[in-house]
């Protein structure tokens, strides 16, 4: 019942992922959520994010930001990390995951998604058939609607980790 929300992998932080290993496995495109994946909600891009995107491009990855936020939020961040972007993406709708892959010139089989929310980020990537990585949220202080979703996520993650142990 919950499998459609299960990520393919989890990580403490988007900054802790061994991206070179994923490149060696054949992945060529990475879609990223912004808020609470790369920076706290509403925060501008930090040097750490810009360095990550530069490193990913040096490895050979194409990148694209995909956010449900407005362009006023997403564009300045994208400018700093030098990435194409999609705003008001409507995640978990499949449409803009596919559009992001078109922008990067990649396909489902060689693209992956990194985000902090199960019901938007991971579920949307899974609906497309893309490899999904759930990152722990950077900042525990969130808007009330996200806090409520986090309680539901805990239930799904309980069953995910229980299955993973077997």
């Amino acid at each position: 019942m919950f499998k459609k929300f299960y990520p393919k992998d989890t990580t403490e932080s988007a900054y802790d992922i061994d991206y070179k290993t994923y490149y060696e496995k054949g992945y060529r495109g990475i879609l990223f959520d912004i808020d609470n994946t790369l920076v706290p909600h509403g925060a501008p891009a930090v040097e750490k994010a810009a360095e990550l995107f530069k490193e990913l491009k040096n490895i050979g990855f194409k990148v694209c930001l995909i956010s449900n936020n407005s362009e006023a939020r997403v564009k300045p961040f994208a400018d700093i990390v030098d990435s194409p972007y999609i705003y008001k993406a409507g995640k978990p709708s499949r449409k803009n995951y596919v559009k992001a892959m078109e922008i990067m010139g990649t396909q489902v089989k060689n693209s992956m998604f990194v985000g902090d929310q199960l019901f938007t980020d991971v579920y949307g990537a899974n609906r497309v058939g893309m490899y999904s990585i759930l990152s722990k949220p950077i900042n525990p202080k969130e808007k009330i609607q996200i806090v409520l979703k986090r309680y539901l996520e805990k239930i799904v993650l309980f069953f995910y980790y229980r299955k993973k142990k077997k």
Side-chain angles (χ1 to χ4, degrees):
M1 175 172 148
F2 292 134
K3 286 183 183 179
K4 62 186 171 187
F5 300 111
Y6 290 175
K8 300 294 184 277
D9 202 357
T10 59
T11 184
E12 288 293 314
S13 167
Y15 298 100
D16 292 342
I17 297 170
D18 182 358
Y19 292 103
K20 285 181 183 176
T21 298
Y22 282 103
Y23 192 85
E24 290 167 3
K25 290 180 179 180
Y27 290 95
R28 295 298 181 262
I30 308 173
L31 285 69
F32 284 95
D33 175 51
I34 298 172
D35 286 320
N36 243 355
T37 299
L38 295 169
V39 294
H41 272 280
V46 292
E47 185 64 30
K48 187 175 184 179
E51 288 173 12
L52 172 64
F53 276 61
K54 185 177 180 181
E55 176 188 336
L56 292 171
K57 291 173 192 170
N58 286 339
I59 292 170
F61 280 109
K62 301 287 186 181
V63 293
C64 187
L65 298 168
I66 177 171
S67 175
N68 285 348
N69 260 306
S70 68
E71 188 171 25
R73 164 69 179 127
V74 179
K75 184 182 183 323
F77 192 99
D79 288 346
I80 291 170
V81 299
D82 190 27
S83 174
Y85 63 93
I86 297 172
Y87 66 97
K88 291 188 180 178
K91 296 180 290 183
S93 172
R94 292 182 280 210
K95 177 183 171 186
N96 284 310
Y97 288 81
V98 172
K99 183 178 176 183
M101 288 184 284
E102 289 171 359
I103 289 169
M104 295 186 302
T106 61
Q107 301 171 334
V108 168
K109 66 183 178 183
N110 67 354
S111 298
M112 55 195 284
F113 185 91
V114 180
D116 70 296
Q117 292 190 48
L118 281 180
F119 302 126
T120 52
D121 300 331
V122 171
Y123 180 48
N126 290 349
R127 291 183 71 209
V128 175
M130 184 182 296
Y131 191 88
S132 57
I133 300 177
L134 178 68
S135 171
K136 285 196 176 172
I138 289 176
N139 188 344
K141 291 187 177 189
E142 298 178 296
K143 294 179 182 176
I144 188 65
Q145 67 269 25
I146 296 173
V147 171
L148 296 174
K149 281 196 268 183
R150 296 287 186 206
Y151 286 112
L152 296 173
E153 283 183 356
K154 285 180 183 179
I155 295 167
V156 175
L157 288 171
F158 169 81
F159 289 103
Y160 168 76
Y161 287 118
R162 189 169 84 172
K163 181 180 183 208
K164 201 171 173 179
K165 283 183 182 180
K166 289 182 181 180

